[in-house]
Amino acid sequence: MPRTNQSSSSTKAAAFFSATLLLWAISVFFEIVFNKRTELIYIVAGVCFYQLANWIIRFCVSRDPLFVNTSVSLLHSAITSTSVIFILVNQWSVTGFKRMFEHKQLVEGTWPWAYQALCFSCGYFAYDQRDMLQYRLYSGFIPSILMHHLLLLICFTLALYRHIRINYLILTLICELHSVFLHVRKVRRMAGVRDAESTVVKVEWILNWIMFVFARLVSHILITGKLIKDASMFEKGIE
């Protein structure tokens, strides 16, 4: 009975998240084709790029769905974190540190390449959602990873449609620096490298914790603090 209930819950979750992903895809297609929002084509490029990476890894390295999915996630984290660093350093060199984090700049402005980077990352989350649904790489009555991706797709896509808060969302992607080492650890363990005394594992462990503190914990505390500090500057308070 428990196995039957678990299977039923998984099927319902798959149906719900598949339906929401389809609605999202129709929405993006409508915006690109009928509203002539050609700048959103980078979302499609992101989906195609990461799906291609999936096929290459599947046919050349391993056919294990979890290994393939994690490897592509590692690729996304590496590309996104590199893109975010490039965007921030470039903007810092142009406007200076203080001006680039002004409220109006974060809410209404868009740093060079920030829009394209957000679109490309949005495409990854759509690809990853479909891949996890196809191979059932999730668990639970309400799978947290699928819910996470759904919320990101909603937030990212609405911001891209309205051309607002792009820079804020780019700042949240700093956490991908930490995700790089999370995925490296997972791939390493699946590859059979588990010796806790090895230099590689020790270095990865240290870098993992450093990135957790600075790229995930501190960065999100600063973003939240900035939002609260500037709450009165938003049109309707905190958004």
Side-chain angles (χ1 to χ4, degrees):
M1 184 65 70
R3 186 181 296 275
T4 303
N5 290 338
Q6 184 177 2
S7 177
S8 176
S9 298
S10 178
T11 301
K12 290 178 180 178
F16 172 77
F17 287 104
S18 294
T20 54
L21 183 61
L22 177 60
L23 290 173
W24 172 87
I26 292 172
S27 172
V28 173
F29 175 80
F30 183 89
E31 287 292 324
I32 294 174
V33 176
F34 295 100
N35 289 340
K36 310 300 181 183
R37 298 288 301 277
T38 54
E39 70 273 17
L40 294 172
I41 201 69
Y42 286 98
I43 296 178
V44 180
V47 173
C48 295
F49 175 82
Y50 289 109
Q51 184 58 62
L52 178 61
N54 178 297
W55 288 333
I56 292 173
I57 295 170
R58 187 175 303 280
F59 288 109
C60 299
V61 183
S62 171
R63 301 187 71 86
D64 177 18
L66 183 58
F67 181 87
V68 174
N69 182 271
T70 306
S71 298
V72 177
S73 295
L74 172 59
L75 177 63
H76 165 257
S77 295
I79 291 175
T80 302
S81 56
T82 302
S83 300
V84 170
I85 291 173
F86 169 78
I87 291 167
L88 292 177
V89 171
N90 179 65
Q91 189 63 22
W92 189 351
S93 66
V94 173
T95 64
F97 183 80
K98 186 175 181 180
R99 189 182 171 192
M100 68 183 289
F101 292 116
E102 291 177 351
H103 175 76
K104 189 172 183 180
Q105 183 73 218
L106 290 174
V107 175
E108 299 176 12
T110 302
W111 297 325
W113 297 105
Y115 193 92
Q116 292 87 341
L118 196 64
C119 281
F120 205 71
S121 194
C122 192
Y124 160 77
F125 288 113
Y127 144 79
D128 199 45
Q129 188 85 320
R130 189 209 60 78
D131 191 62
M132 288 189 293
L133 285 166
Q134 180 178 355
Y135 294 101
R136 298 296 176 95
L137 303 176
Y138 58 89
S139 60
F141 180 72
I142 303 178
S144 59
I145 186 64
L146 297 182
M147 182 60 70
H148 168 268
H149 281 26
L150 175 60
L151 291 174
L152 283 182
L153 284 173
I154 292 172
C155 292
F156 282 20
T157 309
L158 287 176
L160 291 168
Y161 285 177
R162 300 171 64 194
H163 274 277
I164 55 173
R165 286 86 172 154
I166 302 298
N167 295 341
Y168 258 122
L169 291 175
I170 286 294
L171 290 178
T172 66
L173 289 176
I174 291 173
C175 68
E176 291 298 334
L177 280 165
H178 176 234
S179 296
V180 167
F181 296 97
L182 288 179
H183 297 316
V184 164
R185 181 179 64 179
K186 198 170 181 179
V187 170
R188 169 181 61 77
R189 291 175 67 85
M190 284 190 285
V193 182
R194 295 170 176 265
D195 183 7
E197 298 302 318
S198 70
T199 303
V200 173
V201 174
K202 288 181 179 179
V203 170
E204 176 246 297
W205 186 86
I206 293 171
L207 291 175
N208 200 327
W209 275 104
I210 291 174
M211 288 299 111
F212 169 77
V213 172
F214 290 101
R216 195 172 293 277
L217 187 61
V218 173
S219 65
H220 282 80
I221 289 174
L222 291 175
I223 292 170
T224 303
K226 176 67 174 174
L227 284 168
I228 295 173
K229 178 177 177 291
D230 294 347
S232 60
M233 300 182 188
F234 286 94
E235 293 180 2
K236 298 178 181 179
I238 296 178
E239 297 189 21

